[in-house]
Amino acid sequence: ELQCLPEQVGDMAGLRVLQLSSNQLCTLPVALAGLTALRELWLDGNRLTAVPNWMAELKGLEIVSLARNDIATLPDDLG
């Protein structure tokens, strides 16, 4: 179970699907904002309490799964 992600994950520019479900992630590195080819981001079942504002920059995202986290609100730009 991952508790954090290395910043180097942002170096995988061609990544289209990132499956990080059922871990212990509390935060997401800003380096993920560079994954412009990302289409699916699976984060359900972690310990996230907020969605970073930079996630709205990932315009190609078609699926974002955030179920089973402790997120109370979403950024206004995400929708």
Side-chain angles (χ1 to χ4, degrees), residues 50-71:
V51 176
N53 290 329
W54 56 256
M55 195 175 287
E57 304 288 321
L58 297 174
K59 303 295 185 193
L61 276 178
E62 298 170 359
I63 298 172
V64 179
S65 181
L66 295 165
R68 298 186 328 273
N69 281 285
D70 295 321
I71 298 168

Side-chain angles (χ1 to χ4, degrees), residues 9-15 18 31-39 58 61:
V9 72
D11 295 340
M12 298 184 287
L15 193 66
L18 185 55
L32 291 179
L35 299 179
T36 56
L38 202 60
R39 298 295 175 257
L58 297 174
L61 276 178

Side-chain angles (χ1 to χ4, degrees), residues 14-19 37-42:
L15 193 66
R16 295 180 56 82
V17 177
L18 185 55
Q19 171 58 267
L38 202 60
R39 298 295 175 257
E40 298 180 20
L41 182 56
W42 299 88

Side-chain angles (χ1 to χ4, degrees), residues 1 3 7 10 23 25 29 34 39 46 53-54 60 62 68 77 79:
E1 294 183 340
Q3 294 181 350
E7 291 289 327
N23 283 290
L25 298 173
R39 298 295 175 257
N46 279 285
N53 290 329
W54 56 256
E62 298 170 359
R68 298 186 328 273
D77 292 343

